[in-house]
């Protein structure tokens, strides 16, 4: 591994057009998990795969579902409530006036027969698709996340919290950040470059005026001493960011998969998360891979760990488990692979059961990263727990 280098990651806010779409798609997944049990439907039987597109005053949502028969009016209201909560009340994109097309239909029977458990053959519930999923953890932050993506998220999250609290009324919902971190001897020690592009609701605001607003949150987000007189700032480098959100750029579910994960510090299998119920291993197995990698590092078995899982559609067991500790492991990787396989059931059903994923916990994941978050009391971000660390230590 290189000892000294620069590494950059970016984040985008909840008001970015693609993140608006991720939020809407995940709101539909949550709606099915909230309403399904009320209709007497077993949460294990619920299916949802929702894709959203947004543009000027237009939302289109399409996909396949199985579960409660929800009226179009209820779906419409959930979408509008999400847009309102993000903060869009602009002429070009307003929660009250935007036109919404809902094009959801029943899940394909061909896919269902491969995913559902079948009796009397006793066939296990299979993966919802083929694919490879990666998990990663590093001890360079307390949250066991790569520093560049963690702090890029934190900058935007702090600004968003202030905006929602009414402290920054001149800032709009749409924003992006980028952090270039200086590593020395393999550890993050400071920030070389900072980029924040933030929508402003007063048209003639200058870049310097926007910087006055956002700089305190940037400084609050980063560790003490990381910003120096050598740090280079780029705040609204185009000079103006008044037209934002879907009115300024079309949004689509699943286009920010690197933002959602590790900021480019680890591999990505290519599958997006938002809009998918946890039978889709793109989502659930990526959560399981993060959970396992994080517990390996939390157990002190490695300073860094990348874990890959592979699945085939309709097949329950993972085809392979691969672990790379990047030369930081305290035990051999093949021993870790065996320990992981013996410590957690990595079938789709086993993952859902272990991480308790059949719940309406997904809309909250749609912005500021699916990883590096604190587990919630209601089961949200359960994959961020480190409750498997002792079992892994014993296993090796």
């Amino acid at each position: 591994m290189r000892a000294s280098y620069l590494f950059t990651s970016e984040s985008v806010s909840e008001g970015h057009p693609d993140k608006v779409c991720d939020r809407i798609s995940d709101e539909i997944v949550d709606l099915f998990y909230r309403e399904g049990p009320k209709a007497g439907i077993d949460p294990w039987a619920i299916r949802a795969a929702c894709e959203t597109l947004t543009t000027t005053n237009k939302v289109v949502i399409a996909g396949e579902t199985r579960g409660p028969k929800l009226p179009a009016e209820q779906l419409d209201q959930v979408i509008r409530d999400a847009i309102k909560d993000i903060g869009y009340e602009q002429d070009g994109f307003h929660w009250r006036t935007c036109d919404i097309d809902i094009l959801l239909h029943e899940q394909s029977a061909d896919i269902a027969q491969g995913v559902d458990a079948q009796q009397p053959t006793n066939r296990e519930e299979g993966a919802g698709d083929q694919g490879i999923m990666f998990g990663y953890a590093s001890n360079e932050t307390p949250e066991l996340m790569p520093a560049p993506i963690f702090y890029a998220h934190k900058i935007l999250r702090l600004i968003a919290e202030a905006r929602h609290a009414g402290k920054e009324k001149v800032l709009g919902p749409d924003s992006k950040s980028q952090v270039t971190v200086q590593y020395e001897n393999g550890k993050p020690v400071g920030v070389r470059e900072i980029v924040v592009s933030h929508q402003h609701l007063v048209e003639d605001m200058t870049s310097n005026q926007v910087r006055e607003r956002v700089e305190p949150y940037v400084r609050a987000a980063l560790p003490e001493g990381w910003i120096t007189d050598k740090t280079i700032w780029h705040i609204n480098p185009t000079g103006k960011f008044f037209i934002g959100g879907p009115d300024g750029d079309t949004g689509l579910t699943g286009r920010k998969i690197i933002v959602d994960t590790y900021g480019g510090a680890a591999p990505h299998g290519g599958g997006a998360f938002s809009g998918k119920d946890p039978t889709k291993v793109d989502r659930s197995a990526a959560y399981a891979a993060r959970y396992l990698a994080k517990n390996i590092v939390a157990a002190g078995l490695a300073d860094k760990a990348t874990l890959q899982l592979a699945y085939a559609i309709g097949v329950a067991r993972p085809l392979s488990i691969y672990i790379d500790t990047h030369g930081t492991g305290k035990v051999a990787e093949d021993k870790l692979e065996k320990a992981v396989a013996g410590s957690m059931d990595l079938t789709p059903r086993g993952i859902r059961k272990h991480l308790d994923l059949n719940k309406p916990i997904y809309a909250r994941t749609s912005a500021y990263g699916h990883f590096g978050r604190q587990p919630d009391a209601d089961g949200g971000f359960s994959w961020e727990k480190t409750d498997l660390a002792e079992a892994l230590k014993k296993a090796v």
Side-chain angles (χ1 to χ4, degrees), residues 171-241:
L171 297 180
D174 194 358
S175 59
K176 303 178 77 170
S177 67
Q178 193 164 281
V179 177
T180 300
V181 173
Q182 174 72 56
Y183 284 78
E184 293 180 4
N185 297 318
K187 299 295 183 182
V189 297
V191 174
R192 176 72 62 86
E193 310 254 355
I194 296 169
V195 183
V196 178
S197 295
H198 211 297
Q199 182 188 13
H200 46 91
L201 302 180
V202 177
E203 186 168 4
D204 60 357
M205 283 186 74
T206 66
S207 296
N208 286 336
Q209 288 172 321
V210 174
R211 176 170 175 170
E212 290 174 4
R213 294 285 183 173
V214 304
E215 183 173 342
Y217 303 104
V218 176
R219 292 186 177 276
L222 295 169
E224 186 176 354
W226 276 31
I227 298 176
T228 70
D229 55 2
K230 294 182 180 179
T231 301
I232 301 171
W233 293 71
H234 308 272
I235 308 299
N236 281 17
T238 65
K240 184 178 180 181
F241 189 3

Side-chain angles (χ1 to χ4, degrees), residues 4-127:
S4 300
Y5 55 93
L6 298 173
F7 194 86
T8 304
S9 294
E10 71 156 345
S11 179
V12 298
S13 72
E14 66 204 76
H16 185 280
D18 295 331
K19 283 288 140 196
V20 173
C21 294
D22 286 345
R23 170 72 178 272
I24 292 170
S25 294
D26 274 337
E27 290 284 1
I28 300 302
V29 176
D30 283 357
L31 181 63
F32 269 76
Y33 276 111
R34 283 196 303 270
E35 298 299 318
K38 296 178 185 177
I41 297 173
D42 186 349
W44 289 93
I46 288 173
R47 303 286 185 268
C50 308
E51 316 293 340
T52 304
L53 177 145
T54 58
T55 186
T56 301
N57 263 334
K58 183 75 175 181
V59 176
V60 180
I61 182 165
E64 301 76 46
T65 63
R66 187 175 74 188
K69 304 297 182 183
L70 302 177
E73 294 79 9
Q74 187 177 14
L75 295 165
D76 183 277
Q77 191 60 53
V78 164
I79 294 168
R80 294 187 190 279
D81 288 347
I83 297 169
K84 181 181 181 181
D85 184 64
I86 292 168
Y88 277 112
E89 296 185 339
Q90 303 167 189
D91 290 341
F93 196 71
H94 198 297
W95 63 270
R96 185 182 289 115
T97 59
C98 66
D99 182 45
I100 298 175
D101 285 348
I102 299 171
L103 306 172
L104 299 174
H105 60 85
E106 288 291 319
Q107 183 189 44
S108 161
D110 290 349
I111 293 176
Q113 73 175 357
V115 177
D116 294 341
Q118 293 183 10
Q119 300 296 337
T121 60
N122 201 33
R123 192 178 74 82
E124 291 184 271
E125 180 180 290

Side-chain angles (χ1 to χ4, degrees), residues 134-333:
F134 288 92
Y136 179 77
S138 168
N139 64 5
E140 62 190 66
T141 62
E143 295 75 12
L144 304 185
M145 284 289 288
I149 187 66
F150 179 79
Y151 292 115
H153 285 322
K154 190 174 182 180
I155 289 168
L156 296 186
R157 193 170 66 249
L158 291 180
I159 298 172
E161 289 170 357
R163 183 174 59 82
H164 283 296
K167 296 179 182 178
E168 299 295 345
K169 296 181 180 180
V170 298
L171 297 180
D174 194 358
S175 59
K176 303 178 77 170
S177 67
Q178 193 164 281
V179 177
T180 300
V181 173
Q182 174 72 56
Y183 284 78
E184 293 180 4
N185 297 318
K187 299 295 183 182
V189 297
V191 174
R192 176 72 62 86
E193 310 254 355
I194 296 169
V195 183
V196 178
S197 295
H198 211 297
Q199 182 188 13
H200 46 91
L201 302 180
V202 177
E203 186 168 4
D204 60 357
M205 283 186 74
T206 66
S207 296
N208 286 336
Q209 288 172 321
V210 174
R211 176 170 175 170
E212 290 174 4
R213 294 285 183 173
V214 304
E215 183 173 342
Y217 303 104
V218 176
R219 292 186 177 276
L222 295 169
E224 186 176 354
W226 276 31
I227 298 176
T228 70
D229 55 2
K230 294 182 180 179
T231 301
I232 301 171
W233 293 71
H234 308 272
I235 308 299
N236 281 17
T238 65
K240 184 178 180 181
F241 189 3
F242 178 66
I243 301 172
D247 186 31
D249 193 7
T250 300
L252 192 65
T253 299
R255 283 204 298 204
K256 289 293 177 283
I257 59 176
I258 300 301
V259 171
D260 286 342
T261 53
Y262 308 103
H268 196 296
F273 301 159
S274 290
K276 297 175 181 177
D277 75 76
T279 66
K280 282 71 173 173
V281 285
D282 279 343
R283 181 168 222 160
S284 57
Y287 289 173
R290 161 64 178 173
Y291 173 69
L292 292 168
K294 185 174 184 180
N295 275 271
I296 288 170
V297 175
L301 299 173
D303 294 337
K304 294 182 180 182
T306 298
L307 188 147
Q308 185 205 60
L309 300 172
Y311 291 86
I313 188 168
V315 178
R317 302 288 168 179
L319 308 185
S320 64
I321 301 171
Y322 168 79
I323 295 174
D324 182 0
T325 58
H326 308 278
T328 70
K330 310 303 187 289
V331 297
E333 278 109 340

